[in-house]
Amino acid sequence: MTDNEPGFFENLVEKAKDVAESVGEFLGDAAEKAGDLAEQAAEKISDAAEVVGDKASDVYEAAKDKLGIDGDEAPPAA
């Protein structure tokens, strides 16, 4: 089909619309997947932060026990 034939430009516009719609759907799907992955990453980071916090608390408590500190009082004078 050449640009001299009837309906050439209308056909071209329709094809461009179809391509734009397909690209839009693809980008929408990609954005949705990216959002899902970001949510999963945030959950994993939160879980890791909780584990680190728990371990830090364990280390703190072990250090207090080793130094003979009861509660949150100041350590004994050296």
Side-chain angles (χ1 to χ4, degrees), residues 15-52:
K15 287 184 180 184
K17 286 180 183 177
D18 290 345
V19 168
E21 184 178 341
S22 294
V23 169
E25 289 174 5
F26 172 79
L27 291 175
D29 290 347
E32 185 176 344
K33 287 178 183 175
D36 291 346
L37 289 173
E39 185 177 335
Q40 291 173 7
E43 289 174 8
K44 290 191 182 292
I45 290 168
S46 176
D47 291 348
E50 186 175 342
V51 168
V52 168

Side-chain angles (χ1 to χ4, degrees):
M1 182 175 262
T2 66
D3 61 0
N4 293 352
E5 295 181 38
F8 172 78
F9 289 107
E10 291 83 1
N11 188 33
L12 191 60
V13 168
E14 285 303 314
K15 287 184 180 184
K17 286 180 183 177
D18 290 345
V19 168
E21 184 178 341
S22 294
V23 169
E25 289 174 5
F26 172 79
L27 291 175
D29 290 347
E32 185 176 344
K33 287 178 183 175
D36 291 346
L37 289 173
E39 185 177 335
Q40 291 173 7
E43 289 174 8
K44 290 191 182 292
I45 290 168
S46 176
D47 291 348
E50 186 175 342
V51 168
V52 168
D54 290 347
K55 294 298 179 188
S57 180
D58 292 348
V59 168
Y60 173 73
E61 292 299 325
K64 283 190 346 182
D65 289 346
K66 181 111 177 146
L67 295 172
I69 299 171
D70 190 25
D72 288 327
E73 64 188 40

